[in-house]
């Protein structure tokens, strides 16, 4: 897509790569000439991704990891480093989403969402930052959501977690800028994936009516902006967010 020589040989670790947006991004970075380590829990889906990458003659490896577990995150980063070398680009895409009236929300569900979306992102940032600080360079892209900015009924834990990701990325961006590391948030709008996000009380038609571009985004719409944030073209962008939503967030009309 970018066909940018600067990506050739770069080492990328991406979480949430077994399906959805993360899978497409992993493939795109491999196609740019990167060595990709794909991280998620589902072995079969990861193996399928690596099979696709290697049949194209590209480089990739898979590591099974639950991002909520500190020891697994630490081991995964070490393993990725042993296999492909120091990590140049980290993409935290793993995330879960649930719709529950807050008054009924079980504490287990609250914790699961915060632990996956926020704690998992923090743990990978912390572990990979040690490599990037040593090398005095690195790009980190964390996945937020429209709910990093706006509220939405029955999505308290998700909104809290994604608001947290946005704030976390700002702090890490300014803290590690002196080490040559950029930490930014990618904010996808409504993106069509195989496992659709439950919307319950609202219809798909209602959502589309609110999107100025008039349609859901596709994972492919997120690839270019992610590559941009991982490239030298965005070296002076730090602690920022890039919103890829067909205008949804700017639209106060409906
Ligand atoms: P999917 O549900 O399609 O994929 C989620 C990915 O996260 C899977 O690879 C899953 O792998 C991984 N994951 C979930 N829990 C864990 C865990 N505990 N440990 C490791 N991996 C985990 O999601 P999308 O592709 O739709 O979303 C990707 C990111 O973009 C998420 O952060 C999401 O919040 C965000 N986003 C998506 C939007 C959309 O419209 N699609 C809108 C706004 C934000 P596995 O189950 O194999 O572990």
């Amino acid at each position: 897509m970018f066909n940018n020589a600067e990506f050739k040989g770069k080492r990328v670790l991406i979480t949430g790569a077994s399906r959805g947006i993360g899978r497409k991004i992993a493939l795109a970075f491999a196609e740019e000439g990167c060595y990709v380590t794909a991280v998620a829990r589902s072995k079969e889906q990861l193996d399928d991704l690596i099979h696709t990458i290697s049949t194209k003659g590209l480089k990739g490896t898979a590591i099974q990891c639950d991002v909520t577990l500190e020891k697994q995150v630490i081991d995964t980063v070490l393993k990725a480093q042993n296999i492909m070398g120091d990590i140049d680009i980290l993409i935290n895409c793993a995330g879960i989403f649930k719709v529950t009236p807050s008054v009924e929300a079980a504490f287990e569900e609250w914790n699961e969402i915060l632990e996956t979306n926020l704690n998992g992102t923090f743990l990978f940032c912390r572990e990979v930052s040690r490599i990037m600080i040593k090398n005095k360079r690195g790009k980190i892209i964390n996945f937020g959501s429209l709910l990093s900015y706006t509220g939405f009924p029955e999505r308290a834990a998700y909104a809290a977690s994604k608001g947290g990701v946005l704030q976390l990325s700002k702090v890490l961006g300014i803290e590690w800028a002196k080490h040559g590391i950029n930490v930014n948030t990618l904010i996808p709008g409504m993106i069509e994936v195989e496992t659709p996000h439950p919307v319950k009380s609202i219809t798909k038609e209602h959502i589309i009516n609110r999107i100025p571009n008039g349609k859901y985004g596709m994972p492919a719409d997120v690839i270019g902006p992610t590559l941009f944030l991982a490239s030298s073209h965005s070296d002076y962008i730090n602690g920022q967010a890039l919103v890829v939503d067909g205008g949804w967030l700017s639209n106060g009309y409906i």
Side-chain angles (χ1 to χ4, degrees):
M1 177 183 259
F2 259 34
N3 200 15
N4 194 333
E6 73 167 280
F7 282 122
K8 301 252 172 332
K10 285 272 164 71
R11 284 85 33 116
V12 184
L13 187 151
I14 171 159
T15 72
S18 60
R19 60 174 183 274
I21 299 171
R23 186 184 202 276
K24 292 282 193 312
I25 289 175
L27 256 177
F29 274 87
E31 280 163 0
E32 292 293 329
C34 297
Y35 195 138
V36 172
T37 294
V39 172
R41 294 165 302 179
S42 313
K43 184 174 178 339
E44 214 173 298
Q45 289 176 314
L46 284 176
D47 287 348
D48 180 72
L49 169 66
I50 299 309
H51 178 71
T52 306
I53 288 176
S54 42
T55 50
K56 288 172 180 243
L58 307 169
K59 283 182 164 179
T61 194
I63 303 178
Q64 263 183 291
C65 167
D66 182 335
V67 302
T68 68
L69 302 175
E70 184 181 21
K71 172 136 183 19
Q72 287 197 18
V73 174
I74 293 168
D75 291 348
T76 296
V77 172
L78 281 174
K79 207 166 160 190
Q81 208 181 358
N82 284 337
I83 295 170
M84 64 177 185
D86 285 357
I87 294 157
D88 302 297
I89 299 164
L90 167 67
I91 302 166
N92 280 302
C93 192
I96 54 169
F97 177 86
K98 286 188 182 157
V99 179
T100 310
S102 298
V103 69
E104 292 166 16
F107 194 45
E108 289 74 19
E109 181 179 294
W110 170 272
N111 281 336
E112 188 193 0
I113 295 171
L114 268 289
E115 283 167 9
T116 307
N117 299 357
L118 184 56
N119 295 9
T121 299
F122 167 70
L123 288 172
F124 267 101
C125 285
R126 189 191 67 190
E127 289 311 302
V128 171
S129 74
R130 293 177 179 144
I131 298 168
M132 292 179 169
I133 288 170
K134 178 190 67 156
N135 292 334
K136 298 184 171 49
R137 63 160 202 279
K139 297 276 188 177
I140 299 179
I141 299 135
N142 296 327
F143 270 66
S145 154
L146 297 171
L147 275 75
S148 295
Y149 291 104
T150 185
F152 219 107
E154 305 182 348
R155 288 138 174 94
Y158 186 77
S161 71
K162 292 297 189 176
V165 167
L166 180 64
Q167 287 300 107
L168 170 70
S169 307
K170 288 181 195 173
V171 172
L172 300 183
I174 58 173
E175 198 173 320
W176 296 338
K178 62 178 177 286
H179 301 296
I181 302 171
N182 298 66
V183 187
N184 290 298
T185 311
L186 194 296
I187 307 280
M190 306 291 179
I191 307 295
E192 274 199 48
V193 289
E194 311 95 84
T195 333
H197 285 195
V199 287
K200 284 197 179 160
S201 46
I202 38 170
T203 63
K204 199 171 171 186
E205 191 190 11
H206 179 90
I207 292 172
I208 290 171
N209 279 341
R210 203 199 179 288
I211 303 173
N213 278 30
K215 57 180 184 188
Y216 268 59
M218 299 303 291
D221 293 312
V222 183
I223 291 173
T226 309
L227 286 167
F228 167 67
L229 288 178
S231 77
S232 61
H233 299 290
S234 60
D235 278 352
Y236 204 56
I237 300 178
N238 212 344
Q240 267 299 343
L242 182 52
V243 182
V244 186
D245 71 343
W248 192 95
L249 204 55
S250 298
N251 185 9
Y253 186 60
I254 299 172

